[in-house]
Amino acid sequence: MVNMFDNNKDKQIRMRHVDCDFIIQRDGIELFKMSTNYGEPFYHSINGVMLPSFRFSELGNYTISVEIAAELFIPIIPVLANFSAAVSPAADGNLEIKLST
């Protein structure tokens, strides 16, 4: 789940009507792009929340990006936030994902 907020001085205000995307890459290769699932250039979030679904099937290092291209139907210069995700085996045999900025 991705929640998008706008920092306004000492308050965080949930963003509304956001054109955005959620992208997962490994070794520079795009594995997932949320907007592609909808056949649109961007995903439109009415309430500032994205619920992407991607199954990590391989160990390794990934880059997860969140891009914002418009708010309240007004285009902006795109803002991109990148996160590193390390996928490793967990003690129970599942995969564990550790995120960092």
Side-chain angles (χ1 to χ4, degrees):
M1 175 184 281
V2 178
N3 289 289
M4 292 170 273
F5 292 91
D6 191 2
N7 289 328
N8 187 355
K9 298 184 182 176
D10 59 346
K11 293 182 183 179
Q12 285 190 334
I13 300 169
R14 183 175 295 277
M15 297 175 78
R16 303 283 184 214
H17 293 287
V18 183
D19 287 347
C20 51
D21 221 332
F22 183 90
I23 305 155
I24 298 176
Q25 296 181 358
R26 182 171 182 200
D27 299 326
I29 298 169
E30 187 176 284
L31 304 175
F32 176 81
K33 188 171 186 180
M34 190 165 170
S35 62
T36 301
N37 290 344
Y38 297 94
E40 298 291 336
F42 287 97
Y43 172 78
H44 182 81
S45 173
I46 295 168
N47 60 357
V49 176
M50 280 193 290
L51 298 169
S53 180
F54 178 81
R55 181 180 296 261
F56 290 93
S57 59
E58 295 183 25
L59 305 177
N61 296 314
Y62 295 80
T63 300
I64 298 175
S65 303
V66 176
E67 181 177 13
I68 298 174
E71 183 182 10
L72 297 171
F73 305 104
I74 301 169
I76 62 170
I77 295 172
V79 177
L80 190 68
N82 292 313
F83 304 88
S84 297
V87 178
S88 58
D92 63 3
N94 289 314
L95 295 178
E96 179 177 75
I97 302 169
K98 293 182 181 176
L99 289 174
S100 60
T101 56

